[in-house]
Amino acid sequence: MLHTMVDEPTGHHSATLIFLHGSGGAGVTVRSWIQECFARIGDEEGLQFKHIKVIYPTATPQPYTLTGGEPSNVWFDRVALQLEAQEARKSTDKMLEMLAELIQVEIDAGIPPSRIIIGGFSMGGSMSFHIGYRKRLDLGGIFAMSSFLYDDSAVYPDLKELKKKNSDVTMPELFMTHGTQDELVLFQWGRKTFEKLKELGVKGRFHASNQTHLIRSEELVLLKKWVLEKLPSNLISKL
């Protein structure tokens, strides 16, 4: 089971948001950075809601090729940070199952899949593509910030096969942001990923910003607005 940091809703829990950190990060650190970003613009509430539980999991440490094989908190291994590199599917699929278990816990607690959104920053966003378009097409949405998929990613053929079996299958809406000045995960990688998913029937929004490889307040404001659009409160106010 993954270690998690959780912000419980202040009111009735009717939806869940899962935010995955980038490579080498942790749930507690990405949560702290998000809070700081919102505080800078005077939004002390940030990603804390009356009806949405927010979960920040931490990836289980595993050997990471890009750090010389040393253990790191990563959602999957990477042999290279290039669009044409091979996807490390064994480690990806292992973490896919662990995150699916985390989602199932929420479903077992009474939260419908359509009221669950998962996404993340950088590698966290990349992992979310696998969850939403290979494992749980019934989720309420997928978001990715400064993320991409390899050209040979299993997401593309798996999604194509799912659509072949069921042409009427619905897929989670996608929300993506990417900085045009990103020096680590190039802007064109993220844009290409979005366009390839779009060709396979995924509907969504892609926001470009004049930023580097970092979560920024402006992107979080857009994300928060989208989350509340997808997961509105289902509580009926009494007049």
Side-chain angles (χ1 to χ4, degrees), residues 19 34-47 49 145 175 177 205 207 211 215-229:
F19 200 116
I34 289 169
Q35 288 180 317
E36 185 177 330
C37 286
F38 275 114
R40 289 175 186 169
I41 58 173
D43 184 348
E44 297 298 332
E45 190 177 56
L47 290 186
F49 307 93
M145 311 174 79
F175 176 93
T177 65
R205 313 175 196 179
H207 297 275
Q211 297 174 3
I215 299 175
R216 301 286 188 178
S217 303
E218 298 90 330
E219 294 174 306
L220 289 170
V221 169
L222 292 173
L223 174 64
K224 183 176 181 178
K225 180 181 179 181
W226 178 77
V227 166
L228 288 172
E229 287 176 5

PDB file of all heavy atoms in Angstrom, residues 19 34-47 49 145 175 177 205 207 211 215-229:
ATOM      1  N   PHE A  19      -3.332  13.522  -6.389  1.00  0.00           N
ATOM      2  CA  PHE A  19      -2.274  14.324  -7.019  1.00  0.00           C
ATOM      3  C   PHE A  19      -0.937  13.587  -6.865  1.00  0.00           C
ATOM      4  O   PHE A  19      -0.451  13.379  -5.754  1.00  0.00           O
ATOM      5  CB  PHE A  19      -2.190  15.703  -6.355  1.00  0.00           C
ATOM      6  CG  PHE A  19      -1.513  16.751  -7.197  1.00  0.00           C
ATOM      7  CD1 PHE A  19      -2.207  17.860  -7.642  1.00  0.00           C
ATOM      8  CD2 PHE A  19      -0.175  16.625  -7.560  1.00  0.00           C
ATOM      9  CE1 PHE A  19      -1.595  18.831  -8.423  1.00  0.00           C
ATOM     10  CE2 PHE A  19       0.455  17.584  -8.348  1.00  0.00           C
ATOM     11  CZ  PHE A  19      -0.264  18.688  -8.785  1.00  0.00           C
ATOM     12  N   ILE A  34       2.383  23.218  -3.511  1.00  0.00           N
ATOM     13  CA  ILE A  34       1.081  23.680  -3.990  1.00  0.00           C
ATOM     14  C   ILE A  34       0.504  24.720  -3.039  1.00  0.00           C
ATOM     15  O   ILE A  34      -0.006  25.769  -3.464  1.00  0.00           O
ATOM     16  CB  ILE A  34       0.120  22.487  -4.161  1.00  0.00           C
ATOM     17  CG1 ILE A  34       0.550  21.633  -5.363  1.00  0.00           C
ATOM     18  CG2 ILE A  34      -1.328  22.959  -4.329  1.00  0.00           C
ATOM     19  CD1 ILE A  34      -0.170  20.306  -5.458  1.00  0.00           C
ATOM     20  N   GLN A  35       0.585  24.448  -1.742  1.00  0.00           N
ATOM     21  CA  GLN A  35       0.084  25.408  -0.755  1.00  0.00           C
ATOM     22  C   GLN A  35       0.825  26.738  -0.854  1.00  0.00           C
ATOM     23  O   GLN A  35       0.222  27.815  -0.766  1.00  0.00           O
ATOM     24  CB  GLN A  35       0.241  24.832   0.660  1.00  0.00           C
ATOM     25  CG  GLN A  35      -0.735  23.700   0.976  1.00  0.00           C
ATOM     26  CD  GLN A  35      -0.540  23.162   2.373  1.00  0.00           C
ATOM     27  OE1 GLN A  35       0.599  22.960   2.827  1.00  0.00           O
ATOM     28  NE2 GLN A  35      -1.618  22.918   3.081  1.00  0.00           N
ATOM     29  N   GLU A  36       2.136  26.671  -1.045  1.00  0.00           N
ATOM     30  CA  GLU A  36       2.937  27.884  -1.159  1.00  0.00           C
ATOM     31  C   GLU A  36       2.554  28.689  -2.396  1.00  0.00           C
ATOM     32  O   GLU A  36       2.462  29.917  -2.349  1.00  0.00           O
ATOM     33  CB  GLU A  36       4.427  27.519  -1.212  1.00  0.00           C
ATOM     34  CG  GLU A  36       5.351  28.720  -1.219  1.00  0.00           C
ATOM     35  CD  GLU A  36       6.814  28.329  -1.193  1.00  0.00           C
ATOM     36  OE1 GLU A  36       7.143  27.262  -0.631  1.00  0.00           O
ATOM     37  OE2 GLU A  36       7.636  29.095  -1.741  1.00  0.00           O
ATOM     38  N   CYS A  37       2.326  27.984  -3.511  1.00  0.00           N
ATOM     39  CA  CYS A  37       1.937  28.658  -4.758  1.00  0.00           C
ATOM     40  C   CYS A  37       0.617  29.400  -4.598  1.00  0.00           C
ATOM     41  O   CYS A  37       0.472  30.550  -5.037  1.00  0.00           O
ATOM     42  CB  CYS A  37       1.829  27.646  -5.892  1.00  0.00           C
ATOM     43  SG  CYS A  37       3.410  27.044  -6.529  1.00  0.00           S
ATOM     44  N   PHE A  38      -0.351  28.760  -3.970  1.00  0.00           N
ATOM     45  CA  PHE A  38      -1.639  29.409  -3.765  1.00  0.00           C
ATOM     46  C   PHE A  38      -1.515  30.575  -2.783  1.00  0.00           C
ATOM     47  O   PHE A  38      -2.165  31.615  -2.951  1.00  0.00           O
ATOM     48  CB  PHE A  38      -2.668  28.397  -3.269  1.00  0.00           C
ATOM     49  CG  PHE A  38      -3.341  27.617  -4.365  1.00  0.00           C
ATOM     50  CD1 PHE A  38      -3.142  26.248  -4.494  1.00  0.00           C
ATOM     51  CD2 PHE A  38      -4.189  28.249  -5.268  1.00  0.00           C
ATOM     52  CE1 PHE A  38      -3.775  25.525  -5.500  1.00  0.00           C
ATOM     53  CE2 PHE A  38      -4.818  27.540  -6.282  1.00  0.00           C
ATOM     54  CZ  PHE A  38      -4.617  26.175  -6.400  1.00  0.00           C
ATOM     55  N   ALA A  39      -0.694  30.403  -1.740  1.00  0.00           N
ATOM     56  CA  ALA A  39      -0.525  31.471  -0.746  1.00  0.00           C
ATOM     57  C   ALA A  39       0.050  32.734  -1.376  1.00  0.00           C
ATOM     58  O   ALA A  39      -0.282  33.856  -0.971  1.00  0.00           O
ATOM     59  CB  ALA A  39       0.380  30.987   0.385  1.00  0.00           C
ATOM     60  N   ARG A  40       0.900  32.566  -2.382  1.00  0.00           N
ATOM     61  CA  ARG A  40       1.506  33.713  -3.053  1.00  0.00           C
ATOM     62  C   ARG A  40       0.483  34.598  -3.735  1.00  0.00           C
ATOM     63  O   ARG A  40       0.722  35.792  -3.941  1.00  0.00           O
ATOM     64  CB  ARG A  40       2.531  33.228  -4.094  1.00  0.00           C
ATOM     65  CG  ARG A  40       3.798  32.645  -3.506  1.00  0.00           C
ATOM     66  CD  ARG A  40       4.681  32.088  -4.606  1.00  0.00           C
ATOM     67  NE  ARG A  40       5.846  31.404  -4.080  1.00  0.00           N
ATOM     68  CZ  ARG A  40       6.664  30.654  -4.798  1.00  0.00           C
ATOM     69  NH1 ARG A  40       6.424  30.493  -6.101  1.00  0.00           N
ATOM     70  NH2 ARG A  40       7.706  30.068  -4.257  1.00  0.00           N
ATOM     71  N   ILE A  41      -0.640  34.018  -4.129  1.00  0.00           N
ATOM     72  CA  ILE A  41      -1.666  34.811  -4.804  1.00  0.00           C
ATOM     73  C   ILE A  41      -2.858  35.080  -3.883  1.00  0.00           C
ATOM     74  O   ILE A  41      -3.932  35.483  -4.332  1.00  0.00           O
ATOM     75  CB  ILE A  41      -2.138  34.116  -6.099  1.00  0.00           C
ATOM     76  CG1 ILE A  41      -2.680  32.708  -5.814  1.00  0.00           C
ATOM     77  CG2 ILE A  41      -1.000  34.049  -7.118  1.00  0.00           C
ATOM     78  CD1 ILE A  41      -3.321  32.042  -7.022  1.00  0.00           C
ATOM     79  N   GLY A  42      -2.661  34.836  -2.598  1.00  0.00           N
ATOM     80  CA  GLY A  42      -3.687  35.159  -1.616  1.00  0.00           C
ATOM     81  C   GLY A  42      -4.803  34.151  -1.473  1.00  0.00           C
ATOM     82  O   GLY A  42      -5.832  34.436  -0.854  1.00  0.00           O
ATOM     83  N   ASP A  43      -4.619  32.954  -2.011  1.00  0.00           N
ATOM     84  CA  ASP A  43      -5.616  31.894  -1.894  1.00  0.00           C
ATOM     85  C   ASP A  43      -5.137  30.910  -0.830  1.00  0.00           C
ATOM     86  O   ASP A  43      -4.393  29.980  -1.114  1.00  0.00           O
ATOM     87  CB  ASP A  43      -5.813  31.190  -3.237  1.00  0.00           C
ATOM     88  CG  ASP A  43      -6.924  30.137  -3.209  1.00  0.00           C
ATOM     89  OD1 ASP A  43      -7.381  29.786  -2.105  1.00  0.00           O
ATOM     90  OD2 ASP A  43      -7.320  29.658  -4.288  1.00  0.00           O
ATOM     91  N   GLU A  44      -5.559  31.128   0.401  1.00  0.00           N
ATOM     92  CA  GLU A  44      -5.100  30.295   1.512  1.00  0.00           C
ATOM     93  C   GLU A  44      -5.764  28.917   1.505  1.00  0.00           C
ATOM     94  O   GLU A  44      -5.257  27.974   2.098  1.00  0.00           O
ATOM     95  CB  GLU A  44      -5.375  30.998   2.849  1.00  0.00           C
ATOM     96  CG  GLU A  44      -4.630  32.323   3.020  1.00  0.00           C
ATOM     97  CD  GLU A  44      -3.116  32.159   2.997  1.00  0.00           C
ATOM     98  OE1 GLU A  44      -2.639  31.062   3.379  1.00  0.00           O
ATOM     99  OE2 GLU A  44      -2.413  33.117   2.616  1.00  0.00           O
ATOM    100  N   GLU A  45      -6.897  28.806   0.827  1.00  0.00           N
ATOM    101  CA  GLU A  45      -7.613  27.527   0.766  1.00  0.00           C
ATOM    102  C   GLU A  45      -6.918  26.553  -0.180  1.00  0.00           C
ATOM    103  O   GLU A  45      -6.786  25.364   0.108  1.00  0.00           O
ATOM    104  CB  GLU A  45      -9.048  27.775   0.314  1.00  0.00           C
ATOM    105  CG  GLU A  45      -9.944  26.569   0.448  1.00  0.00           C
ATOM    106  CD  GLU A  45     -11.378  26.886   0.056  1.00  0.00           C
ATOM    107  OE1 GLU A  45     -11.593  27.356  -1.078  1.00  0.00           O
ATOM    108  OE2 GLU A  45     -12.272  26.697   0.893  1.00  0.00           O
ATOM    109  N   GLY A  46      -6.455  27.071  -1.328  1.00  0.00           N
ATOM    110  CA  GLY A  46      -5.737  26.232  -2.288  1.00  0.00           C
ATOM    111  C   GLY A  46      -6.542  25.038  -2.748  1.00  0.00           C
ATOM    112  O   GLY A  46      -7.699  25.167  -3.134  1.00  0.00           O
ATOM    113  N   LEU A  47      -5.925  23.864  -2.683  1.00  0.00           N
ATOM    114  CA  LEU A  47      -6.603  22.631  -3.084  1.00  0.00           C
ATOM    115  C   LEU A  47      -7.220  21.933  -1.877  1.00  0.00           C
ATOM    116  O   LEU A  47      -7.108  20.717  -1.707  1.00  0.00           O
ATOM    117  CB  LEU A  47      -5.637  21.690  -3.806  1.00  0.00           C
ATOM    118  CG  LEU A  47      -5.182  22.105  -5.195  1.00  0.00           C
ATOM    119  CD1 LEU A  47      -4.343  21.003  -5.839  1.00  0.00           C
ATOM    120  CD2 LEU A  47      -6.365  22.450  -6.107  1.00  0.00           C
ATOM    121  N   PHE A  49     -10.974  21.527  -0.056  1.00  0.00           N
ATOM    122  CA  PHE A  49     -12.361  21.714  -0.447  1.00  0.00           C
ATOM    123  C   PHE A  49     -13.323  21.214   0.625  1.00  0.00           C
ATOM    124  O   PHE A  49     -12.949  20.422   1.490  1.00  0.00           O
ATOM    125  CB  PHE A  49     -12.651  20.945  -1.746  1.00  0.00           C
ATOM    126  CG  PHE A  49     -11.708  21.252  -2.881  1.00  0.00           C
ATOM    127  CD1 PHE A  49     -10.562  20.463  -3.079  1.00  0.00           C
ATOM    128  CD2 PHE A  49     -11.954  22.296  -3.750  1.00  0.00           C
ATOM    129  CE1 PHE A  49      -9.699  20.733  -4.136  1.00  0.00           C
ATOM    130  CE2 PHE A  49     -11.093  22.576  -4.804  1.00  0.00           C
ATOM    131  CZ  PHE A  49      -9.963  21.795  -4.997  1.00  0.00           C
ATOM    132  N   MET A 145       0.586  17.949 -15.731  1.00  0.00           N
ATOM    133  CA  MET A 145       1.289  19.231 -15.779  1.00  0.00           C
ATOM    134  C   MET A 145       2.750  18.962 -16.129  1.00  0.00           C
ATOM    135  O   MET A 145       3.447  18.260 -15.393  1.00  0.00           O
ATOM    136  CB  MET A 145       1.172  19.948 -14.430  1.00  0.00           C
ATOM    137  CG  MET A 145      -0.258  20.008 -13.904  1.00  0.00           C
ATOM    138  SD  MET A 145      -0.407  20.686 -12.235  1.00  0.00           S
ATOM    139  CE  MET A 145      -0.284  22.445 -12.609  1.00  0.00           C
ATOM    140  N   PHE A 175      -6.976  17.285 -18.893  1.00  0.00           N
ATOM    141  CA  PHE A 175      -6.541  18.663 -18.671  1.00  0.00           C
ATOM    142  C   PHE A 175      -5.012  18.665 -18.632  1.00  0.00           C
ATOM    143  O   PHE A 175      -4.408  17.986 -17.801  1.00  0.00           O
ATOM    144  CB  PHE A 175      -7.096  19.188 -17.345  1.00  0.00           C
ATOM    145  CG  PHE A 175      -6.630  20.570 -16.965  1.00  0.00           C
ATOM    146  CD1 PHE A 175      -7.381  21.690 -17.307  1.00  0.00           C
ATOM    147  CD2 PHE A 175      -5.452  20.757 -16.257  1.00  0.00           C
ATOM    148  CE1 PHE A 175      -6.953  22.966 -16.942  1.00  0.00           C
ATOM    149  CE2 PHE A 175      -5.017  22.027 -15.904  1.00  0.00           C
ATOM    150  CZ  PHE A 175      -5.769  23.134 -16.253  1.00  0.00           C
ATOM    151  N   THR A 177      -1.320  21.113 -18.874  1.00  0.00           N
ATOM    152  CA  THR A 177      -0.608  22.389 -18.925  1.00  0.00           C
ATOM    153  C   THR A 177       0.858  22.089 -19.213  1.00  0.00           C
ATOM    154  O   THR A 177       1.387  21.042 -18.794  1.00  0.00           O
ATOM    155  CB  THR A 177      -0.706  23.173 -17.606  1.00  0.00           C
ATOM    156  OG1 THR A 177      -0.035  22.443 -16.560  1.00  0.00           O
ATOM    157  CG2 THR A 177      -2.154  23.401 -17.202  1.00  0.00           C
ATOM    158  N   ARG A 205      -8.367  19.743 -22.727  1.00  0.00           N
ATOM    159  CA  ARG A 205      -7.856  21.103 -22.874  1.00  0.00           C
ATOM    160  C   ARG A 205      -6.341  21.095 -22.671  1.00  0.00           C
ATOM    161  O   ARG A 205      -5.834  20.402 -21.788  1.00  0.00           O
ATOM    162  CB  ARG A 205      -8.490  22.035 -21.838  1.00  0.00           C
ATOM    163  CG  ARG A 205     -10.000  21.920 -21.715  1.00  0.00           C
ATOM    164  CD  ARG A 205     -10.529  22.782 -20.583  1.00  0.00           C
ATOM    165  NE  ARG A 205     -11.890  22.391 -20.221  1.00  0.00           N
ATOM    166  CZ  ARG A 205     -12.588  22.962 -19.249  1.00  0.00           C
ATOM    167  NH1 ARG A 205     -12.035  23.944 -18.535  1.00  0.00           N
ATOM    168  NH2 ARG A 205     -13.816  22.560 -18.970  1.00  0.00           N
ATOM    169  N   HIS A 207      -3.215  23.801 -22.097  1.00  0.00           N
ATOM    170  CA  HIS A 207      -2.853  25.187 -21.803  1.00  0.00           C
ATOM    171  C   HIS A 207      -1.334  25.362 -21.888  1.00  0.00           C
ATOM    172  O   HIS A 207      -0.586  24.665 -21.189  1.00  0.00           O
ATOM    173  CB  HIS A 207      -3.322  25.585 -20.402  1.00  0.00           C
ATOM    174  CG  HIS A 207      -4.807  25.546 -20.226  1.00  0.00           C
ATOM    175  ND1 HIS A 207      -5.634  26.594 -20.577  1.00  0.00           N
ATOM    176  CD2 HIS A 207      -5.620  24.576 -19.735  1.00  0.00           C
ATOM    177  CE1 HIS A 207      -6.881  26.276 -20.314  1.00  0.00           C
ATOM    178  NE2 HIS A 207      -6.908  25.048 -19.792  1.00  0.00           N
ATOM    179  N   GLN A 211       6.631  29.211 -19.165  1.00  0.00           N
ATOM    180  CA  GLN A 211       7.231  28.757 -17.920  1.00  0.00           C
ATOM    181  C   GLN A 211       8.239  27.643 -18.163  1.00  0.00           C
ATOM    182  O   GLN A 211       8.283  27.041 -19.234  1.00  0.00           O
ATOM    183  CB  GLN A 211       6.126  28.264 -16.966  1.00  0.00           C
ATOM    184  CG  GLN A 211       5.147  29.348 -16.563  1.00  0.00           C
ATOM    185  CD  GLN A 211       3.991  28.816 -15.745  1.00  0.00           C
ATOM    186  OE1 GLN A 211       3.938  27.627 -15.423  1.00  0.00           O
ATOM    187  NE2 GLN A 211       3.049  29.675 -15.415  1.00  0.00           N
ATOM    188  N   ILE A 215       5.810  23.684 -11.184  1.00  0.00           N
ATOM    189  CA  ILE A 215       4.404  23.999 -10.947  1.00  0.00           C
ATOM    190  C   ILE A 215       4.307  25.475 -10.581  1.00  0.00           C
ATOM    191  O   ILE A 215       5.021  25.955  -9.703  1.00  0.00           O
ATOM    192  CB  ILE A 215       3.823  23.148  -9.811  1.00  0.00           C
ATOM    193  CG1 ILE A 215       3.892  21.653 -10.151  1.00  0.00           C
ATOM    194  CG2 ILE A 215       2.377  23.539  -9.521  1.00  0.00           C
ATOM    195  CD1 ILE A 215       3.439  20.744  -9.015  1.00  0.00           C
ATOM    196  N   ARG A 216       3.410  26.194 -11.243  1.00  0.00           N
ATOM    197  CA  ARG A 216       3.236  27.625 -10.996  1.00  0.00           C
ATOM    198  C   ARG A 216       1.802  27.912 -10.550  1.00  0.00           C
ATOM    199  O   ARG A 216       0.880  27.156 -10.823  1.00  0.00           O
ATOM    200  CB  ARG A 216       3.527  28.420 -12.276  1.00  0.00           C
ATOM    201  CG  ARG A 216       4.925  28.233 -12.829  1.00  0.00           C
ATOM    202  CD  ARG A 216       5.965  28.957 -12.024  1.00  0.00           C
ATOM    203  NE  ARG A 216       7.272  28.922 -12.682  1.00  0.00           N
ATOM    204  CZ  ARG A 216       8.365  29.510 -12.207  1.00  0.00           C
ATOM    205  NH1 ARG A 216       8.308  30.174 -11.066  1.00  0.00           N
ATOM    206  NH2 ARG A 216       9.515  29.425 -12.848  1.00  0.00           N
ATOM    207  N   SER A 217       1.643  29.052  -9.869  1.00  0.00           N
ATOM    208  CA  SER A 217       0.329  29.451  -9.362  1.00  0.00           C
ATOM    209  C   SER A 217      -0.700  29.558 -10.467  1.00  0.00           C
ATOM    210  O   SER A 217      -1.856  29.126 -10.309  1.00  0.00           O
ATOM    211  CB  SER A 217       0.440  30.797  -8.632  1.00  0.00           C
ATOM    212  OG  SER A 217       1.372  30.744  -7.588  1.00  0.00           O
ATOM    213  N   GLU A 218      -0.300  30.130 -11.621  1.00  0.00           N
ATOM    214  CA  GLU A 218      -1.242  30.339 -12.714  1.00  0.00           C
ATOM    215  C   GLU A 218      -1.837  29.020 -13.199  1.00  0.00           C
ATOM    216  O   GLU A 218      -3.039  28.932 -13.493  1.00  0.00           O
ATOM    217  CB  GLU A 218      -0.544  31.040 -13.887  1.00  0.00           C
ATOM    218  CG  GLU A 218      -0.014  32.418 -13.563  1.00  0.00           C
ATOM    219  CD  GLU A 218       1.422  32.407 -13.054  1.00  0.00           C
ATOM    220  OE1 GLU A 218       1.829  31.402 -12.426  1.00  0.00           O
ATOM    221  OE2 GLU A 218       2.125  33.395 -13.285  1.00  0.00           O
ATOM    222  N   GLU A 219      -1.010  27.988 -13.279  1.00  0.00           N
ATOM    223  CA  GLU A 219      -1.492  26.682 -13.722  1.00  0.00           C
ATOM    224  C   GLU A 219      -2.414  26.052 -12.681  1.00  0.00           C
ATOM    225  O   GLU A 219      -3.408  25.412 -13.025  1.00  0.00           O
ATOM    226  CB  GLU A 219      -0.307  25.753 -13.987  1.00  0.00           C
ATOM    227  CG  GLU A 219       0.569  26.179 -15.147  1.00  0.00           C
ATOM    228  CD  GLU A 219       1.806  25.308 -15.266  1.00  0.00           C
ATOM    229  OE1 GLU A 219       2.545  25.181 -14.272  1.00  0.00           O
ATOM    230  OE2 GLU A 219       2.010  24.745 -16.352  1.00  0.00           O
ATOM    231  N   LEU A 220      -2.077  26.237 -11.409  1.00  0.00           N
ATOM    232  CA  LEU A 220      -2.892  25.674 -10.339  1.00  0.00           C
ATOM    233  C   LEU A 220      -4.273  26.322 -10.268  1.00  0.00           C
ATOM    234  O   LEU A 220      -5.260  25.653  -9.957  1.00  0.00           O
ATOM    235  CB  LEU A 220      -2.168  25.824  -8.994  1.00  0.00           C
ATOM    236  CG  LEU A 220      -0.954  24.921  -8.805  1.00  0.00           C
ATOM    237  CD1 LEU A 220      -0.183  25.319  -7.552  1.00  0.00           C
ATOM    238  CD2 LEU A 220      -1.364  23.449  -8.723  1.00  0.00           C
ATOM    239  N   VAL A 221      -4.331  27.607 -10.569  1.00  0.00           N
ATOM    240  CA  VAL A 221      -5.632  28.292 -10.603  1.00  0.00           C
ATOM    241  C   VAL A 221      -6.513  27.682 -11.682  1.00  0.00           C
ATOM    242  O   VAL A 221      -7.704  27.421 -11.468  1.00  0.00           O
ATOM    243  CB  VAL A 221      -5.441  29.804 -10.847  1.00  0.00           C
ATOM    244  CG1 VAL A 221      -6.779  30.476 -11.159  1.00  0.00           C
ATOM    245  CG2 VAL A 221      -4.808  30.466  -9.629  1.00  0.00           C
ATOM    246  N   LEU A 222      -5.937  27.438 -12.868  1.00  0.00           N
ATOM    247  CA  LEU A 222      -6.676  26.809 -13.956  1.00  0.00           C
ATOM    248  C   LEU A 222      -7.103  25.390 -13.580  1.00  0.00           C
ATOM    249  O   LEU A 222      -8.228  24.967 -13.873  1.00  0.00           O
ATOM    250  CB  LEU A 222      -5.814  26.770 -15.222  1.00  0.00           C
ATOM    251  CG  LEU A 222      -5.506  28.113 -15.886  1.00  0.00           C
ATOM    252  CD1 LEU A 222      -4.498  27.916 -17.018  1.00  0.00           C
ATOM    253  CD2 LEU A 222      -6.769  28.766 -16.414  1.00  0.00           C
ATOM    254  N   LEU A 223      -6.197  24.657 -12.938  1.00  0.00           N
ATOM    255  CA  LEU A 223      -6.507  23.286 -12.522  1.00  0.00           C
ATOM    256  C   LEU A 223      -7.649  23.273 -11.511  1.00  0.00           C
ATOM    257  O   LEU A 223      -8.585  22.479 -11.635  1.00  0.00           O
ATOM    258  CB  LEU A 223      -5.267  22.624 -11.920  1.00  0.00           C
ATOM    259  CG  LEU A 223      -5.484  21.233 -11.308  1.00  0.00           C
ATOM    260  CD1 LEU A 223      -5.896  20.233 -12.380  1.00  0.00           C
ATOM    261  CD2 LEU A 223      -4.225  20.762 -10.580  1.00  0.00           C
ATOM    262  N   LYS A 224      -7.580  24.149 -10.532  1.00  0.00           N
ATOM    263  CA  LYS A 224      -8.621  24.197  -9.497  1.00  0.00           C
ATOM    264  C   LYS A 224      -9.986  24.488 -10.113  1.00  0.00           C
ATOM    265  O   LYS A 224     -10.994  23.848  -9.758  1.00  0.00           O
ATOM    266  CB  LYS A 224      -8.270  25.262  -8.463  1.00  0.00           C
ATOM    267  CG  LYS A 224      -9.253  25.352  -7.300  1.00  0.00           C
ATOM    268  CD  LYS A 224      -8.773  26.373  -6.272  1.00  0.00           C
ATOM    269  CE  LYS A 224      -9.735  26.462  -5.089  1.00  0.00           C
ATOM    270  NZ  LYS A 224      -9.253  27.420  -4.060  1.00  0.00           N
ATOM    271  N   LYS A 225     -10.031  25.421 -11.048  1.00  0.00           N
ATOM    272  CA  LYS A 225     -11.288  25.759 -11.718  1.00  0.00           C
ATOM    273  C   LYS A 225     -11.839  24.544 -12.465  1.00  0.00           C
ATOM    274  O   LYS A 225     -13.036  24.246 -12.407  1.00  0.00           O
ATOM    275  CB  LYS A 225     -11.066  26.921 -12.686  1.00  0.00           C
ATOM    276  CG  LYS A 225     -12.319  27.353 -13.424  1.00  0.00           C
ATOM    277  CD  LYS A 225     -12.023  28.502 -14.381  1.00  0.00           C
ATOM    278  CE  LYS A 225     -13.277  28.915 -15.154  1.00  0.00           C
ATOM    279  NZ  LYS A 225     -12.989  30.013 -16.111  1.00  0.00           N
ATOM    280  N   TRP A 226     -10.947  23.819 -13.157  1.00  0.00           N
ATOM    281  CA  TRP A 226     -11.359  22.639 -13.910  1.00  0.00           C
ATOM    282  C   TRP A 226     -11.858  21.541 -12.978  1.00  0.00           C
ATOM    283  O   TRP A 226     -12.874  20.885 -13.259  1.00  0.00           O
ATOM    284  CB  TRP A 226     -10.189  22.140 -14.760  1.00  0.00           C
ATOM    285  CG  TRP A 226     -10.464  20.900 -15.546  1.00  0.00           C
ATOM    286  CD1 TRP A 226     -11.187  20.789 -16.702  1.00  0.00           C
ATOM    287  CD2 TRP A 226     -10.005  19.565 -15.242  1.00  0.00           C
ATOM    288  NE1 TRP A 226     -11.203  19.479 -17.133  1.00  0.00           N
ATOM    289  CE2 TRP A 226     -10.492  18.708 -16.256  1.00  0.00           C
ATOM    290  CE3 TRP A 226      -9.233  19.028 -14.213  1.00  0.00           C
ATOM    291  CZ2 TRP A 226     -10.230  17.345 -16.264  1.00  0.00           C
ATOM    292  CZ3 TRP A 226      -8.971  17.659 -14.210  1.00  0.00           C
ATOM    293  CH2 TRP A 226      -9.467  16.838 -15.226  1.00  0.00           C
ATOM    294  N   VAL A 227     -11.157  21.319 -11.883  1.00  0.00           N
ATOM    295  CA  VAL A 227     -11.555  20.289 -10.915  1.00  0.00           C
ATOM    296  C   VAL A 227     -12.961  20.565 -10.394  1.00  0.00           C
ATOM    297  O   VAL A 227     -13.801  19.658 -10.302  1.00  0.00           O
ATOM    298  CB  VAL A 227     -10.547  20.221  -9.744  1.00  0.00           C
ATOM    299  CG1 VAL A 227     -11.117  19.408  -8.580  1.00  0.00           C
ATOM    300  CG2 VAL A 227      -9.228  19.606 -10.201  1.00  0.00           C
ATOM    301  N   LEU A 228     -13.244  21.818 -10.063  1.00  0.00           N
ATOM    302  CA  LEU A 228     -14.564  22.153  -9.537  1.00  0.00           C
ATOM    303  C   LEU A 228     -15.648  22.053 -10.611  1.00  0.00           C
ATOM    304  O   LEU A 228     -16.814  21.808 -10.296  1.00  0.00           O
ATOM    305  CB  LEU A 228     -14.539  23.560  -8.929  1.00  0.00           C
ATOM    306  CG  LEU A 228     -13.767  23.656  -7.607  1.00  0.00           C
ATOM    307  CD1 LEU A 228     -13.622  25.104  -7.175  1.00  0.00           C
ATOM    308  CD2 LEU A 228     -14.465  22.842  -6.512  1.00  0.00           C
ATOM    309  N   GLU A 229     -15.269  22.238 -11.867  1.00  0.00           N
ATOM    310  CA  GLU A 229     -16.210  22.019 -12.964  1.00  0.00           C
ATOM    311  C   GLU A 229     -16.555  20.529 -13.084  1.00  0.00           C
ATOM    312  O   GLU A 229     -17.709  20.157 -13.307  1.00  0.00           O
ATOM    313  CB  GLU A 229     -15.621  22.495 -14.293  1.00  0.00           C
ATOM    314  CG  GLU A 229     -15.554  23.996 -14.452  1.00  0.00           C
ATOM    315  CD  GLU A 229     -14.863  24.399 -15.744  1.00  0.00           C
ATOM    316  OE1 GLU A 229     -14.525  23.495 -16.550  1.00  0.00           O
ATOM    317  OE2 GLU A 229     -14.650  25.603 -15.952  1.00  0.00           O
TER     318      GLU A 229
END
